[in-house]
């Protein structure tokens, strides 16, 4: 889950790392979020908690909100092994499902891989937290990093105003206004996984001024930049198709990789000065198949 949701979850995990140890069903112990330090692997999670028990161990927390959760299990296994190899500490895995759409009967807490009709070659045991099954009172009673998950817990829509009121009391009691603003922004982002935006805005209206939140400002800025990129890319494609015809797959790949609005605007201007997509984007000209001469 790249983007604001992933950044939000990483921040919340950092606020309450020890709570995820307990929520996963393990004994409470001092814990802290740490750098996974595995730069060469795109794994299932980058939220790794060091638990200073006897002995010390690592907890890999994998938040999932998509529909392809089962397909992520091989990544979970690979990441678990890579963490052990890098840090020489035993690793436990916790999968946190943020809404029902991420669930599957295949998520049993045990993943194995091997050949048919033979004992498995490798296996991984992991634990699962289904956020919507946890009463909101439990999220509210945990560390501050768990509080924004309360609206995603086992709560009916009609009870949401009461949950928001309890969150307001907790955050007002335990945090400064600026700190609370960050957690309200996290709440806003996470509630978007389950509720319509209009409902979220109604529920959170008057709770905080979102503009005071650094997190919220970052989201707005990211959305604005993304919109500008899409618009600039759309204009370039429309004008290019009109002048040169459909771009090749190589040209489309180059356009999709461009993330600089000013560069896209420059290409739109230059489009009137070149003869085709290849010259505009610097992509190789597709090879034409040579026709074989008819045999005499």
């Amino acid at each position: 889950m790249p983007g604001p949701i992933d950044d939000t979850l990483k921040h919340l995990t950092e606020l309450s790392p020890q709570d995820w140890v307990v929520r996963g069903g393990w004994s409470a112990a001092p814990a802290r979020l740490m750098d996974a330090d595995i730069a060469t692997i795109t794994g299932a999670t980058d939220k790794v908690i060091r638990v200073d028990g006897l002995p010390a161990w690592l907890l890999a927390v994998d938040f999932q909100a998509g529909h392809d959760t089962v397909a992520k299990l091989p990544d979970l296994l690979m990441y678990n092994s890579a963490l052990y190899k890098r840090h020489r500490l035993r690793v436990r895995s916790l999968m946190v499902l943020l809404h029902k759409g991420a669930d599957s009967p295949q998520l049993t807490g045990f993943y194995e891989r091997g050949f048919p009709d033979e004992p498995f070659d490798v296996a991984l045991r992991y634990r699962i937290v289904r956020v919507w099954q946890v009463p909101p009172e439990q999220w509210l009673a945990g560390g501050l990093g768990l509080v924004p998950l309360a609206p995603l817990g086992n709560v009916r829509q009609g009870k949401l105003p009461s949950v928001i009121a309890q969150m307001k009391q907790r955050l007002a009691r335990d945090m400064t206004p600026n700190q609370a603003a960050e957690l309200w922004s996290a709440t806003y982002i996470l509630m978007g996984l389950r509720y319509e935006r209009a409902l979220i805005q109604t529920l959170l209206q008057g709770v905080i001024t979102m503009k005071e939140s650094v997190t919220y400002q970052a989201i707005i800025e990211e959305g604005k930049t993304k919109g500008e990129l899409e618009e600039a890319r759309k204009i370039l494609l429309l004008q290019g198709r009109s002048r040169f015809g459909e771009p090749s797959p190589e040209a489309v790949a180059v356009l999709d990789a461009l993330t600089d609005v000013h560069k896209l605007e420059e290409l739109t201007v230059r489009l009137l000065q070149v003869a085709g997509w290849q010259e505009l984007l610097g992509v190789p000209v597709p090879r034409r198949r040579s026709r074989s001469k008819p045999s005499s």
Side-chain angles (χ1 to χ4, degrees):
M1 289 178 295
I5 292 178
D6 188 70
D7 292 340
T8 295
L9 291 168
K10 189 169 185 178
H11 176 58
L12 296 181
T13 306
E14 188 172 15
L15 283 177
S16 301
Q18 64 281 351
D19 286 276
W20 288 112
V21 178
V22 176
R23 177 56 57 189
W26 296 286
S27 300
R32 66 183 187 275
L33 192 70
M34 59 171 280
D35 184 358
D37 197 19
I38 305 181
T40 58
I41 294 179
T42 304
T45 178
D46 61 355
K47 286 160 278 293
V48 179
I49 297 170
R50 179 187 169 102
V51 184
D52 292 319
L54 294 174
W57 53 282
L58 303 180
L59 175 60
V61 184
D62 179 28
F63 293 95
Q64 289 293 335
H67 299 282
D68 57 346
T69 308
V70 174
K72 299 293 179 67
L73 291 175
D75 292 335
L76 205 64
L77 171 62
M78 176 181 65
Y79 205 70
N80 187 296
S81 300
L83 282 171
Y84 174 77
K85 182 178 180 180
R86 173 66 182 85
H87 297 283
R88 293 302 174 185
L89 292 173
R90 293 176 182 174
V91 184
R92 288 173 167 139
S93 297
L94 177 65
M95 180 175 282
V96 181
L97 305 181
L98 294 167
H99 65 78
K100 293 181 181 180
D103 203 2
S104 167
Q106 294 177 261
L107 298 176
T108 63
F110 183 73
Y111 169 72
E112 64 180 48
R113 190 173 67 218
F115 292 92
D117 303 321
E118 294 182 18
F120 61 80
D121 296 316
V122 291
L124 174 71
R125 293 189 185 277
Y126 60 96
R127 295 187 181 180
I128 306 174
V129 172
R130 293 172 169 88
V131 171
W132 65 91
Q133 294 181 350
V134 180
E137 293 78 17
Q138 292 187 23
W139 295 121
L140 289 166
L144 289 167
L146 302 187
V147 172
L149 289 166
L152 300 184
N154 186 10
V155 56
R156 283 187 254 174
Q157 190 166 305
K159 296 291 185 182
L160 282 173
S162 174
V163 172
I164 298 300
Q166 293 176 65
M167 291 176 62
K168 184 178 180 180
Q169 292 177 357
R170 173 76 192 278
L171 297 183
R173 183 180 71 237
D174 297 338
M175 304 194 82
T176 66
N178 286 339
Q179 291 171 330
E182 295 300 318
L183 286 195
W184 281 119
S185 294
T187 304
Y188 181 92
I189 294 167
L190 294 177
M191 286 183 71
L193 295 171
R194 180 167 165 182
Y195 304 106
E196 295 293 332
R197 180 177 296 182
L199 174 62
I200 301 170
Q201 291 175 339
T202 299
L203 288 168
L204 299 185
Q205 186 177 8
V207 176
I208 62 163
T209 302
M210 287 289 189
K211 293 180 181 178
E212 296 174 356
S213 166
V214 175
T215 303
Y216 184 73
Q217 287 296 333
I219 295 168
I220 296 300
E221 190 60 35
E222 180 177 332
K224 186 187 300 181
T225 302
K226 185 177 180 181
E228 291 174 350
L229 276 171
E230 290 177 351
E231 186 64 22
R233 191 177 287 113
K234 179 180 178 181
I235 292 172
L236 179 57
L237 279 169
L238 284 172
Q239 294 189 13
R241 285 191 178 106
S242 176
R243 184 173 171 81
F244 309 131
E246 285 295 322
S248 66
E250 293 81 5
V252 172
V254 171
L255 286 173
D256 288 343
L258 289 173
T259 57
D260 187 333
V261 173
H262 298 297
K263 178 64 176 177
L264 287 166
E265 291 172 344
E266 289 174 4
L267 289 173
T268 302
V269 174
R270 187 166 175 265
L271 183 143
L272 302 174
Q273 305 166 2
V274 298
W277 288 111
Q278 290 78 23
E279 185 180 352
L280 179 68
L281 301 174
V283 295
V285 178
R287 294 182 179 179
R288 295 181 178 178
R289 294 183 180 179
S290 58
R291 296 182 180 178
S292 57
K293 295 183 179 179
S295 57
S296 56

